[in-house]
């Protein structure tokens, strides 16, 4: 498997999973476009990598704004000449309230983070991937999308919407050489608690390294016939 010189867009690059995948892809020689809203956090991430300047581009962009998102795609394509991989790793969570208690703002926040950002990146980036005749799209969802729990309604509704969006995309990409897949995770175990402080609750969490390994497979040549998959990384719970 080689990702050498692949042009990879990572949204949510400064997040827990985004920064892990950024490091993995940098080691593998990919050309990186790192997206986020906070210039200082992007700068710190870029500075922490040993990647020559010509192989990396930071884009400060609010993915809730469709024209800013399109402009970022144009800038990345102009800089690297193409866009081949889209890792959409923007997250966010709200919960702890029943549907009766939740506010409209709670639902709007979740739909913004999971559905609207996904819609905007698909509209802005997919035409570039299709133009290559080769591409990979990966988003990260949750078991709650299909099996919601009490007091997680806005999150579950939004993740279900994001899954429907990605699965629709996978159908529309058939025959283009571009695949679109989902990885499902219960909780990203940033502190490696399931190893250091194991409990029945954290047994089904996934470390960033476990998630990276699954996503790197989906980006590979070898996964070219995997399209529209929802890869569950949470065991049973
Ligand atoms: N964390 C978990 O336990 C968990 C569980 C299941 C699924 N997931 C999914 O896994 C993926 C990665 O999760 P994560 O916890 O690493 O994500 P995260 O830290 O919540 O978000 C990643 C980054 O996205 C950026 N972002 C947020 N809104 C944005 C916007 N409107 N425009 C541009 N950038 C924006 C933020 O960076 P800036 O503030 O710098 O812009 C944030 O640091 C997400 O899709 C998440 O839903 C996570």
């Amino acid at each position: 498997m080689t990702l050498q010189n692949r042009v990879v867009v990572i949204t949510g690059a400064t997040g827990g999973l985004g920064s892990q995948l950024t490091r993995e892809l940098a080691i593998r020689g990919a050309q990186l476009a790192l997206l986020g809203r906070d210039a200082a956090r992007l700068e710190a991430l870029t500075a922490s990598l040993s990647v020559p300047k010509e192989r990396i581009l930071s884009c400060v962009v609010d993915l809730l704004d469709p024209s800013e998102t399109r402009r970022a795609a144009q800038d990345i394509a102009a800089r690297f000449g193409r866009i081949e991989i889209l890792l959409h790793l923007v997250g966010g969570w709200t919960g702890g309230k029943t549907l009766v208690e939740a506010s409209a703002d709670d639902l709007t926040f979740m739909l913004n983070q999971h559905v609207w950002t996904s819609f905007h990146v698909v509209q802005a980036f997919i035409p570039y991937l299709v133009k290559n005749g080769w591409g990979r799209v990966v988003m990260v969802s949750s078991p709650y999308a299909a099996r919601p729990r009490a007091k997680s309604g806005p999150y579950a509704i939004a993740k279900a919407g994001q899954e429907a969006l990605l699965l629709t995309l996978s159908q529309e990409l058939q025959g283009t050489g571009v695949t679109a897949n989902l990885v499902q995770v219960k909780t990203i175990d940033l502190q490696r608690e399931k190893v250091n402080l194991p409990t029945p609750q954290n047994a089904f969490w996934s470390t960033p390294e476990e998630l990276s390994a699954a996503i790197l497979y989906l980006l590979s040549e070898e996964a070219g016939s995997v399209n529209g998959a929802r890869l569950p990384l949470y065991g049973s719970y």
Side-chain angles (χ1 to χ4, degrees), residues 25-49:
L25 289 160
I27 291 165
R28 286 166 174 77
Q31 306 190 79
L32 300 171
L34 308 181
L35 275 56
R37 292 167 302 185
D38 186 321
R41 290 182 73 195
L42 283 170
E43 178 55 41
L45 177 62
T46 304
S48 73
L49 305 167

Side-chain angles (χ1 to χ4, degrees), residues 14 16-17 37 41 61-63 90-91 113-114 159 185 188:
T14 55
L17 178 59
R37 292 167 302 185
R41 290 182 73 195
V61 53
D62 183 351
L63 298 172
V90 164
Q113 294 307 106
H114 301 293
K159 278 302 191 194
V185 59
I188 301 177

